[in-house]
């Protein structure tokens, strides 16, 4: 698991826009047939022409995807390219995302950047796009096929394993019961987090009571959590999505599990204050703003026939109360005053 604990260096808090000089380089894991190696990625200064990119998101219901929106839009602006951004409304909306992909094609765009709800659902459309010569780049959510020209996404089994190993260390041999909330079933990445958790806790003092899949909307995660807490006499750890961690503390206190640990295998902006206050014990960040910037950069490089990477994983960091003030959070979160945009001209 290379790159899991590599810390960023600049102590810049979220809400302060990053200067161009502060963006690069950014450590990524380059994936090849021979394995992975850590490389320092540096983005282009500008594009040769105002290419038109279309970008597909599962939703923008939480600050995680708002951060991705910021990374896409700001990088498009820096490079001088156009971007049309569409969001489907949730992980239950795979059919809508397919329709949006086809809308992108109808616009005659040069490239499509895809945060996929379902790779299987998009397979036919992506093959048609590939055959039509449209550049395709996967971002954030895994794409395993080679139809995409390039892709950057976190290994969520590794990020979940990293956070869970930290919890194993905290348990220090004390028996603890865990509930895991992976995210939407069928997404692929949610199931991968369960595999990572199971690897991390194997042979440890932590017992996985149950895994509860569901959309990452707050109401869904809160309902899943409340239902699960009613089923067990003792819950010591709630681990799962960033949204789960946001809503967990009050739900735990309502049933008297006041001392339970709360952690997330990825981060959103809502966790910053919760980590600082200690209400959330740990989270993991793969710097989604930088993933989004790199996706735009890769698309432009491919369009311009420049040397480019094809398969990258971002470096990841376990974030705790002890190290959060030393991290460059502009790589993970949008500025505090950022409002999602759907068009960059």
């Amino acid at each position: 698991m290379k790159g899991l604990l590599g810390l960023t260096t600049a102590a810049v808090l979220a809400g302060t826009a990053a200067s161009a000089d502060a963006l690069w380089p950014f450590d990524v894991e380059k994936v090849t047939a021979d394995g992975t190696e850590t490389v320092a990625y540096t983005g282009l200064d500008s594009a040769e022409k105002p290419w038109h990119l279309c970008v597909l998101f599962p939703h923008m219901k939480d600050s995680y995807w708002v951060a991705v929106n910021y990374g896409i839009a700001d990088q498009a602006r820096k490079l001088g390219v156009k971007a049309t951004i569409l969001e489907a409304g949730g992980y239950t909306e795979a059919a809508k995302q397919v329709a949006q992909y086809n809308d992108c094609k109808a616009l005659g765009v040069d490239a499509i950047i895809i945060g996929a709800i379902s790779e299987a659902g998009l397979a036919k459309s992506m093959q048609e796009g590939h055959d039509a010569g449209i550049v395709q780049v996967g971002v954030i959510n895994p794409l395993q096929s080679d139809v995409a020209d390039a892709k950057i996404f976190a290994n969520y089994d590794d990020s979940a394993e990293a956070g869970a190993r930290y919890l194993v260390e905290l348990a220090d041999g004390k028996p603890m019961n865990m509930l895991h909330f992976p995210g939407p079933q069928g997404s692929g990445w949610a199931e991968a987090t369960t595999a990572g958790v199971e690897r991390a806790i194997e042979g440890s003092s932590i017992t996985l009571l149950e895994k509860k899949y569901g959309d990452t909307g707050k109401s869904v995660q809160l309902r899943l959590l409340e239902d699960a807490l009613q089923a067990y006499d003792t819950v010591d750890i709630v681990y799962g999505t960033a949204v789960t961690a946001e809503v967990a503390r009050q739900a735990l206190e309502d049933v008297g599990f006041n001392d339970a640990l709360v952690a997330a295998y990825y981060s959103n902006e809502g966790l910053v204050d919760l980590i600082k206050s200690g209400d959330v014990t740990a989270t993991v960040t793969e710097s989604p703003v930088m993933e989004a910037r790199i996706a735009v950069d890769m698309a432009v490089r491919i369009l311009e026939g420049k040397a480019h990477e094809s398969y990258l994983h971002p470096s990841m960091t376990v974030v705790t109360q002890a190290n959060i003030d030393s991290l460059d959070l502009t790589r993970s979160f949008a500025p505090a005053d950022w409002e999602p945009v759907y068009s960059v001209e």
Side-chain angles (χ1 to χ4, degrees):
M1 293 188 300
K2 292 184 178 180
L4 285 176
L5 301 179
L7 300 184
T8 51
T9 55
V12 184
L13 295 180
T16 304
S19 70
D21 292 341
L23 294 176
W24 314 107
F26 177 71
D27 283 350
V28 293
E29 300 298 321
K30 178 180 178 179
V31 183
T32 67
D34 298 324
T36 63
E37 62 173 315
T38 301
V39 297
Y41 194 103
T42 299
L44 297 169
D45 292 327
S46 63
E48 294 176 357
K49 59 185 290 188
W51 306 101
H52 189 181
L53 314 181
C54 199
V55 186
L56 302 178
F57 289 165
H59 64 81
M60 274 192 282
K61 295 189 289 188
D62 62 41
S63 62
Y64 181 93
W65 283 101
V66 171
V68 181
N69 174 269
Y70 167 67
I72 293 284
D74 194 62
Q75 194 63 25
R77 179 183 59 79
K78 288 179 185 298
L79 294 184
V81 299
K82 295 173 61 178
T84 298
I85 301 171
L86 305 172
E87 58 100 2
Y91 279 97
T92 59
E93 303 298 326
K96 182 175 180 180
Q97 189 172 65
V98 171
Q100 290 177 332
Y101 181 99
N102 293 329
D103 290 342
C104 291
K105 284 177 58 182
L107 288 173
V109 300
D110 301 299
I112 304 177
I113 296 174
I114 305 158
I117 291 175
S118 167
E119 181 175 10
L122 284 167
K124 181 175 182 292
S125 295
M126 288 187 65
Q127 185 62 57
E128 292 171 352
H130 175 76
D131 294 343
I134 300 172
V135 169
Q136 301 180 109
V137 176
V139 67
I140 303 296
N141 289 344
L143 291 177
Q144 303 299 346
S145 79
D146 293 328
V147 175
D149 298 277
K151 50 197 175 184
I152 178 168
F153 59 85
N155 260 347
Y156 285 107
D157 57 336
D158 283 351
S159 64
E161 183 175 359
R165 285 191 183 279
Y166 180 78
L167 294 170
V168 168
E169 293 175 8
L170 286 183
D172 195 26
K174 176 184 175 182
M176 302 186 83
N177 292 326
M178 173 191 285
L179 292 172
H180 179 46
F181 298 83
Q185 193 160 26
S187 63
W189 55 265
E191 289 84 354
T193 71
T194 299
V197 169
E198 290 173 343
R199 284 201 305 267
I201 68 173
E202 184 177 5
S204 77
S205 63
I206 295 177
T207 299
L208 179 58
L209 297 174
E210 190 175 2
K211 46 190 182 290
K212 301 278 283 185
Y213 291 93
D215 185 77
T216 53
K218 282 189 177 182
S219 61
V220 174
Q221 288 299 307
L222 180 59
R223 184 177 70 252
L224 289 172
L225 178 57
E226 289 173 339
D227 290 347
L229 291 175
Q230 293 297 327
Y232 298 98
D233 293 332
T234 303
V235 173
D236 303 296
I237 301 171
V238 170
Y239 188 47
T241 74
V243 179
T244 316
E246 281 187 284
V247 301
R249 182 56 60 194
Q250 185 59 54
L252 287 164
E253 291 178 355
D254 287 346
V255 293
F257 297 154
N258 297 354
D259 296 329
L261 303 180
V262 176
Y265 65 83
Y266 71 88
S267 300
N268 67 21
E269 193 171 358
L271 296 187
V272 173
D273 287 341
L274 295 176
I275 289 285
K276 289 182 177 183
S277 70
D279 285 333
V280 171
T281 301
T283 185
V284 181
T285 182
E286 77 274 21
S287 304
V289 172
M290 297 306 295
E291 285 184 81
R293 291 187 186 280
I294 289 172
V296 171
D297 190 82
M298 289 196 294
V300 172
R301 286 177 182 274
I302 295 166
L303 287 167
E304 296 181 353
K306 293 182 167 71
H308 67 277
E309 303 293 355
S310 297
Y311 186 0
L312 300 174
H313 295 314
S315 59
M316 291 181 284
T317 302
V318 176
V319 182
T320 68
Q321 194 176 43
N323 69 5
I324 191 168
D325 285 330
S326 68
L327 303 181
D328 180 356
L329 298 183
T330 67
R331 295 185 169 196
S332 296
F333 308 120
D337 59 354
W338 178 258
E339 294 290 340
V341 300
Y342 296 89
S343 179
V344 178
E345 297 293 336

